[in-house]
Amino acid sequence: MPVITTDLNLLLVTALLAYLLGSVPFGLVMARAFGLGDLRKIGSGNIGATNVLRTGNKLAAFLTLVFDAGKGGIAVLVARWLLAEDAAQVAGLFAFLGHLYPVWLKFKGGKGVATFLGTLLALHPLTGLAACGTWLIVAFATRLSSLAALISAATCTFWMFTLGYPNGFFLGIALTVLIYIRHVENIQRMKAGTETRIGEEKKTGL
């Protein structure tokens, strides 16, 4: 897919709007809408779908997953429709950054897994499906959401090259690095054998 260059000023506007969209904390919104309390005081304190699931409300968790993925995907699709492929990549990156570091929450956001996958699905559906498949396989085998995210992120550039989206290489690297930065504590807990598995309550003291 050829990369078409968009005017720098338009790219800056794209980045800002995508960041603001990505900053919407749908986990908090869903938790409050369903009367689940302040999500930052529940479980791991994360604002993503995995922590919403710890409340026991599967519908709220599902909606959080859909909306968090959707904000990355929508940013990409709208930027591509109105501008060009480079704008779509910028939109994907900044929507992702918005989720990780939302201005509305003093730059303390989520781990970004759903937004990461939604962004990839919109950028290049085959790559996105492969990344989702990787996440599902690892999560099913280990019941470790964090490990599934790390492996899915680590392999996304491989999928890009293999499945026909080599122009996404640098974006893939950036997304992967950000995923690993946001999962440093999870990596430490996995090394210590104390990482919470899917379906378990958060362990005391973590």
Side-chain angles (χ1 to χ4, degrees):
M1 181 180 295
V3 176
I4 303 172
T5 303
T6 301
D7 178 79
L8 178 59
N9 290 328
L10 289 175
L11 287 179
L12 292 174
V13 172
T14 298
L16 175 60
L17 294 177
Y19 171 80
L20 292 175
L21 175 60
S23 292
V24 179
F26 283 111
L28 288 179
V29 173
M30 290 299 113
R32 289 175 182 175
F34 283 84
L36 305 176
D38 188 343
L39 194 60
R40 292 167 294 183
K41 298 178 181 179
I42 298 171
S44 65
N46 186 34
I47 64 170
T50 300
N51 201 41
V52 177
L53 185 61
R54 291 192 179 102
T55 67
N57 193 312
K58 294 181 179 178
L59 177 57
F62 173 74
L63 291 174
T64 300
L65 177 66
V66 170
F67 283 118
D68 278 350
K71 63 188 180 183
I74 289 172
V76 167
L77 294 175
V78 171
R80 178 181 285 153
W81 177 52
L82 293 176
L83 299 171
E85 190 63 23
D86 59 343
Q89 292 195 16
V90 167
L93 175 60
F94 278 85
F96 187 61
L97 285 169
H99 181 80
L100 301 185
Y101 307 106
V103 63
W104 322 114
L105 300 178
K106 299 180 180 179
F107 305 103
K108 297 178 181 179
K111 300 297 177 71
V113 180
T115 307
F116 164 74
L117 294 174
T119 298
L120 289 182
L121 283 167
L123 279 169
H124 190 246
L126 287 178
T127 296
L129 288 171
C132 289
T134 301
W135 189 94
L136 286 170
I137 290 170
V138 177
F140 180 80
T142 67
R143 290 176 54 229
L144 287 171
S145 176
S146 52
L147 180 60
L150 292 168
I151 294 178
S152 182
T155 57
C156 76
T157 50
F158 167 78
W159 293 124
M160 285 178 176
F161 274 100
T162 303
L163 299 174
Y165 191 66
N167 289 328
F169 174 77
F170 291 108
L171 175 61
I173 292 295
L175 296 177
T176 298
V177 170
L178 288 167
I179 285 281
Y180 273 74
I181 289 173
R182 294 296 287 127
H183 282 78
V184 168
E185 293 181 358
N186 301 86
I187 293 171
Q188 293 172 344
R189 289 196 293 267
M190 281 190 282
K191 288 181 178 179
T194 58
E195 178 71 330
T196 304
R197 296 181 184 273
I198 297 171
E200 292 180 346
E201 293 294 329
K202 186 176 182 291
K203 298 178 181 178
T204 304
L206 295 182

